[in-house]
Amino acid sequence: MEQSIDAQTSGENGRTSIIDVEKLTRVFDNKLRAVDSISFKVYEGEIFGFLGPNGAGKTTTIKMLTTLLKPTSGDAVICGHDLRKSPQQVRWSVGVVPQEYTADEDMTGIENIMLFANLYGIPKEIGRKRADELLALVELQDASGRKVSTYSGGMRRRLELACGLVNHPRVLFLDEPTLGLDVQTRTAVWRYIRLLKEEYRMTLFVTTHYLEEADGLCDRVGIIDNGKIVRIGTTSELKASVGGDAIELGIKEKDVDLTSLISGVDKVISVRKEDDHYRIKADMGEETAPAIMDAVRSAGYHVDRISLTKPTLDEVYLEFTGHKLRDEESGNQHVMAQQRTVRRARA
Amino acid sequence: MISMVQTANTNNVTRRYLVEEERDVPINRGMLHGLWALTNRELKKWYKVPVLLFLSIIQPIIWLGLFGKAMNFGALFTGTSFNIPGLNIPKSTLDLIAKQAMLSTFGTTDYFSFLAVGMLSFIILFTAMFSGMSIVWDRRFGFLDKLLSTPVARGSIIMGKVLSSVIRSLAQAAIVLIVAVLLGMDTSKLTVAGLAGTFAAMFLMAMGLSALFLMLALRSTDWQSQMAIMNLLNLPLLFASNALFPSKLMPAWLQVVTKLNPVSYATDAGRQLLLGSPGFAPLGFDFLFLVAFAALFSGFGIFLSWRYLSR
Ligand SMILES: Nc1ncnc2c1ncn2[C@@H]1O[C@H](COP(=O)(O)OP(=O)(O)OP(=O)(O)O)[C@@H](O)[C@H]1O
Ligand SMILES: [Mg+2]
């Protein structure tokens, strides 16, 4: 079972796991299995993306890993502490940025951060220093003396981030940190996240709906659907598992069939001749596409157009959460065939 | 370009941040860390909004000024209002009878002074009642979850609320007492020791009651049901006590209830200490009961908060 969801080819590679989840389960009201026996590892110093549609169980998982919800069954070890046996130790070593805005509206930004510094047992002077640094990090210095009730959504989100960092946690859980933010703020938030990883060597566990973001920023991704993890691996591993890059190639000489010629090029997985072009699946599209062009030219034919599409995480996501036809190719063909029929009927 | 400058800034900050030696930070891992910060958080919401303070003391003051003055029981007996036909009792005798009747019923010669001490209990009861609400709000706004994700002792979360409610209610009780004195409360027996003792008794009652109402709210997520619980408890606690009326004139079954009600003991201690009234229980017993009440409910509250705050 576990092998089947693991798109990883690299294995542990000597990395140490900092979160080790074993058959974690949470059942609500004796029937809803919000999180259903999930097992996975997060390695020290990586950004782990946790993806899934609404209600998949992402928040429930984070709440269990941060000791806010008791697991119905299963175990987890975080920073070497057993979630069930020593929740208090887990709390000392992790930070959370929750999905909702939870800062105290009646207090100012700096008062919120100072309160949390105090709750983490940090002496006042050091707390003050950290608060100033964090406010600078999230660019909230100017608003730090204002009540949170006057903050905009983006400012609140950044304040949440600062509060979650005040104890210099080894692992930071971020539950949809960019939800509802404009492009600029979203970029800023991701910049902080990358900074945390690179400069503090912090481990980040991030849930998000924005696949493009996960694609660019996460080292590894886990896809959860209906409480179950359906796929785990690096983003490129996941994309490879959907089957290579797509190349569309148009040739001037419509009457000849070059299928076998193209198949002969290195790294080409499959070739199919459509009406007036070829659909090619290949690994390493950037290098394979020029190689195909060379092969076609040296055989004396003329390329009149070419396009390269990298598989996005969206495709992976749709494929494994089952919200799209399993066999994408046949699906596409079916649609195209229909379109052709319509066109012919009109003509 | 602005973004470039910002990036440079953040990088600078980062480096400073990294320089700080984690090992050298003396982290306070004590059981009580965070308690005062949490207490202060609640207090700030109160003293920074003077309107709230005003609104919370206005009710007992209206009770005092209108109800306390209107219920002028002393006038029932004074010569001007009645005499027995045929028996020409001299007015001075009637006045003496009136005074004795008041003393034996209320322990003081005017109902206003009697009620004034009851109103101290009243304001403490009503302040404690609302302490439960604050945990419901914190849960609804997600702030409680945020607190629970920190290593602060679960007991500190509840005791912070208890303490802030105690401090708030004692401050409000002090204001009510001052207003009562200004409106003519009997001060002939007032001593510093008496005042201190009264506030000690009120402190204990406030602590026990706040812990009680907080415990009832520990698992609650909606404020309507919390309001319902509050309303279910507060009037019985007030009426089935000696705060508004002496319990010895009540029917026997109600007297049993007043004897179990902590509000009675705090009020009784206050009347003995401020007005020199004869006690409904010995002063020592009042305090014993209140200490036990406060300790029991605070302890129980702390225990339950470790068990039931997270779900
Ligand atoms: N306290 C609760 N009681 C009952 N059911 C709950 C509770 N919390 C969550 N659930 C259910 O568990 C499932 C998973 O919820 P969860 O919040 O983990 O989803 P999510 O992946 O975070 O979704 P989203 O992307 O919308 O945030 C949902 O069906 C939700 O209704
Ligand atoms: Mg969620």
Side-chain angles (χ1 to χ4, degrees):
Chain A
M1 267 309 280
E2 249 164 63
Q3 252 95 23
S4 70
I5 60 157
D6 218 341
Q8 245 166 272
T9 50
S10 43
E12 293 208 10
N13 261 346
R15 292 174 294 180
T16 35
S17 64
I18 196 159
I19 301 177
D20 196 340
V21 177
E22 191 63 43
K23 301 206 173 82
L24 201 64
T25 302
R26 172 71 197 213
V27 182
F28 286 114
D29 310 322
N30 284 320
K31 51 179 194 292
L32 180 71
R33 302 183 76 81
V35 172
D36 195 356
S37 191
I38 59 171
S39 305
F40 62 92
K41 283 184 175 141
V42 175
Y43 300 107
E44 186 150 23
E46 74 175 350
I47 301 181
F48 183 82
F50 206 46
L51 265 60
N54 287 128
K58 302 181 295 293
T59 301
T60 308
T61 305
I62 287 199
K63 285 198 168 170
M64 282 194 283
L65 295 181
T66 54
T67 77
L68 295 179
L69 270 178
K70 292 185 186 111
T72 308
S73 65
D75 284 298
V77 176
I78 297 154
C79 301
H81 305 294
D82 190 298
L83 187 67
R84 284 169 176 283
K85 292 189 198 111
S86 36
Q88 198 63 1
Q89 295 302 321
V90 173
R91 291 178 196 125
W92 281 109
S93 37
V94 305
V96 200
V97 179
Q99 184 169 356
E100 320 85 44
Y101 301 136
T102 60
D104 190 327
E105 300 254 320
D106 298 329
M107 297 200 297
T108 65
I110 191 146
E111 279 172 342
N112 266 289
I113 300 182
M114 291 294 287
L115 173 65
F116 283 95
N118 190 303
L119 299 181
Y120 279 104
I122 298 161
K124 203 167 190 145
E125 322 78 64
I126 298 175
R128 184 92 213 174
K129 221 173 86 209
R130 286 194 189 178
D132 288 342
E133 285 164 359
L134 289 169
L135 284 166
L137 175 76
V138 297
E139 289 152 36
L140 276 181
Q141 299 106 309
D142 296 340
S144 67
R146 260 165 48 195
K147 276 195 178 186
V148 176
S149 51
T150 68
Y151 282 24
S152 73
M155 292 163 85
R156 281 171 207 238
R157 185 60 78 196
R158 271 144 51 203
L159 179 65
E160 297 286 337
L161 193 62
C163 285
L165 285 168
V166 76
N167 63 326
H168 291 186
R170 285 177 63 203
V171 180
L172 182 66
F173 291 91
L174 296 131
D175 200 352
E176 295 183 27
T178 53
L179 190 71
L181 300 184
D182 65 16
V183 181
Q184 198 182 334
T185 318
R186 213 191 296 172
T187 317
V189 167
W190 279 108
R191 197 175 70 224
Y192 309 141
I193 291 174
R194 214 175 335 191
L195 198 80
L196 294 172
K197 170 196 151 99
E198 282 161 11
E199 306 269 328
Y200 311 166
R201 301 198 55 248
M202 199 175 276
T203 309
L204 294 122
F205 185 105
V206 187
T207 75
T208 178
H209 279 152
Y210 299 104
L211 296 146
E212 331 82 81
E213 294 181 336
D215 201 358
L217 284 134
C218 297
D219 298 305
R220 284 192 318 134
V221 174
I223 297 177
I224 183 171
D225 189 31
N226 277 324
K228 290 200 169 68
I229 292 195
V230 289
R231 207 79 185 166
I232 288 189
T234 64
T235 50
S236 44
E237 281 165 351
L238 287 183
K239 279 183 268 181
S241 71
V242 228
D245 303 343
I247 300 168
E248 264 189 33
L249 182 74
I251 306 282
K252 247 196 192 133
E253 294 78 9
K254 308 278 185 225
D255 310 329
V256 288
D257 188 347
L258 298 178
T259 313
S260 56
L261 172 75
I262 298 168
S263 315
V265 178
D266 200 21
K267 295 206 178 81
V268 170
I269 301 167
S270 68
V271 185
R272 217 178 38 240
K273 189 174 190 300
E274 305 279 331
D275 265 4
D276 49 0
H277 64 273
Y278 296 84
R279 278 183 65 84
I280 304 159
K281 281 261 175 173
D283 284 335
M284 317 266 289
E286 303 89 335
E287 292 166 23
T288 315
I292 293 171
M293 286 171 67
D294 288 345
V296 170
R297 281 206 200 101
S298 55
Y301 301 105
H302 300 89
V303 174
D304 62 5
R305 64 191 171 89
I306 187 162
S307 75
L308 169 65
T309 321
K310 309 278 297 175
T312 62
L313 219 41
D314 286 80
E315 283 169 57
V316 183
Y317 180 82
L318 289 171
E319 171 121 8
F320 292 112
T321 58
H323 300 295
K324 196 173 172 185
L325 283 171
R326 274 247 165 247
D327 193 345
E328 195 197 357
E329 286 305 318
S330 69
N332 270 353
Q333 256 182 337
H334 179 67
V335 172
M336 273 185 248
Q338 258 190 341
Q339 283 173 341
R340 274 197 299 271
T341 323
V342 173
R343 237 179 280 142
R344 250 181 249 133
R346 278 208 196 117
Chain B
M1 256 176 69
I2 292 168
S3 70
M4 290 296 285
V5 175
Q6 283 176 342
T7 315
N9 259 340
T10 29
N11 278 340
N12 256 341
V13 168
T14 313
R15 266 176 220 118
R16 267 199 290 128
Y17 181 79
L18 279 175
V19 166
E20 185 189 297
E21 279 289 337
E22 298 283 324
R23 274 172 317 224
D24 297 342
V25 177
I27 298 288
N28 178 2
R29 288 171 193 264
M31 276 301 285
L32 285 179
H33 86 267
L35 176 61
W36 178 244
L38 288 173
T39 308
N40 203 24
R41 164 180 174 248
E42 309 268 346
L43 286 178
K44 253 185 218 157
K45 289 180 194 266
W46 168 70
Y47 66 68
K48 285 206 173 157
V49 192
V51 180
L52 271 184
L53 176 67
F54 177 74
L55 284 177
S56 58
I57 57 168
I58 199 86
Q59 204 183 6
I61 287 174
I62 288 174
W63 273 67
L64 260 182
L66 299 181
F67 188 72
K69 290 289 181 192
M71 293 285 138
N72 192 4
F73 291 116
L76 276 178
F77 305 100
T78 47
T80 46
S81 57
F82 88 117
N83 210 324
I84 298 167
L87 293 174
N88 208 2
I89 304 170
K91 188 174 181 316
S92 60
T93 315
L94 269 179
D95 284 353
L96 210 63
I97 293 171
K99 199 174 167 197
Q100 280 311 311
M102 286 300 288
L103 261 178
S104 79
T105 312
F106 294 108
T108 176
T109 51
D110 66 313
Y111 180 72
F112 182 80
S113 300
F114 175 88
L115 186 71
V117 180
M119 279 300 114
L120 301 185
S121 297
F122 173 98
I123 183 115
I124 285 169
L125 174 61
F126 276 71
T127 310
M129 198 173 82
F130 279 102
S131 66
M133 285 304 281
S134 78
I135 210 160
V136 177
W137 288 127
D138 278 358
R139 194 187 281 290
R140 282 198 74 101
F141 291 133
F143 189 81
L144 185 65
D145 266 359
K146 186 104 156 242
L147 284 184
L148 290 172
S149 73
T150 72
V152 71
R154 269 66 298 236
S156 291
I157 296 176
I158 194 166
M159 283 319 281
K161 291 194 185 291
V162 168
L163 276 184
S164 69
S165 155
V166 167
I167 293 170
R168 215 160 54 203
S169 57
L170 291 185
Q172 289 167 346
I175 297 172
V176 170
L177 185 61
I178 291 167
V179 172
V181 169
L182 292 177
L183 290 178
M185 179 182 158
D186 175 18
T187 53
S188 58
K189 306 260 173 50
L190 209 60
T191 62
V192 174
L195 270 175
T198 303
F199 276 86
M202 297 288 163
F203 174 90
L204 292 168
M205 174 174 76
M207 187 149 162
L209 285 175
S210 307
L212 168 71
F213 280 106
L214 273 162
M215 258 187 292
L216 294 172
L218 271 187
R219 300 282 278 184
S220 174
T221 45
D222 68 318
W223 59 270
Q224 284 98 337
S225 66
Q226 191 54 31
M227 285 293 259
I229 291 174
M230 279 162 43
N231 285 328
L232 202 68
L233 280 176
N234 74 62
L235 290 184
L237 275 171
L238 186 66
F239 291 136
S241 80
N242 57 8
L244 306 179
F245 202 70
S247 67
K248 66 179 174 200
L249 298 185
M250 296 175 184
W253 63 268
L254 195 53
Q255 285 199 32
V256 175
V257 183
T258 59
K259 286 269 188 317
L260 295 171
N261 187 348
V263 177
S264 302
Y265 292 94
T267 317
D268 185 52
R271 291 207 178 108
Q272 293 193 42
L273 289 161
L274 295 177
L275 305 172
S277 313
F280 126 116
L283 194 57
F285 186 81
D286 285 342
F287 274 95
L288 203 67
F289 187 96
L290 289 168
V291 167
F293 172 67
L296 185 73
F297 280 89
S298 310
F300 203 43
I302 292 172
F303 170 76
L304 287 183
S305 61
W306 275 103
R307 269 193 84 108
Y308 290 120
L309 268 182
S310 35
R311 346 203 94 211

